[in-house]
């Protein structure tokens, strides 16, 4: 988890270790940015974040909503066996 305090994206990365029958580990990445700054952020970074689909999740408002990210993490507990944060 990267909850940067600058204008960077915030990231939540899920790591899934290898399982029997599969050679590779898997990762699921989610990135967060304030919704009010999403277009500006995309232009300044020259990256079309809003086109990333489900891996890009704008948080409501003009500032990073850490409660939103925490809720997302807590909701993930219903889908994944989260052991370490």
């Amino acid at each position: 988890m990267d909850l940067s305090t600058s204008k960077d994206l915030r990231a939540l990365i899920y790591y899934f270790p290898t399982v029997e029958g599969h050679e590779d580990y898997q990762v699921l990445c989610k990135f967060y940015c304030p919704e009010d700054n999403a277009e500006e952020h995309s232009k300044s970074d020259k990256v079309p974040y809003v086109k990333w689909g489900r891996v890009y999740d704008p948080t409501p408002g003009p500032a990073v909503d850490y409660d939103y990210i925490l809720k997302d993490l807590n909701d993930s507990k219903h889908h994944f066996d989260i052991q370490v944060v």
Side-chain angles (χ1 to χ4, degrees), residues 21-57:
H22 298 279
E23 295 181 18
D24 297 326
Y25 63 88
Q26 300 289 315
V27 294
L28 170 63
C29 306
K30 290 198 71 179
F31 301 96
Y32 305 87
C33 175
E35 185 173 39
D36 291 1
N37 303 336
E39 286 295 327
E40 178 184 323
H41 200 72
S42 287
K43 287 179 185 176
S44 67
D45 291 353
K46 298 180 179 148
V47 177
Y49 297 119
V50 294
K51 293 182 180 181
W52 284 11
R54 293 178 22 175
V55 299
Y56 176 74
D57 196 356

Side-chain angles (χ1 to χ4, degrees), residues 71-85:
K71 181 184 179 312
D72 202 21
L73 177 61
N74 283 325
D75 289 348
S76 296
K77 291 178 184 178
H78 300 289
H79 303 284
F80 309 122
D81 180 20
I82 298 175
Q83 298 179 10
V84 178
V85 175

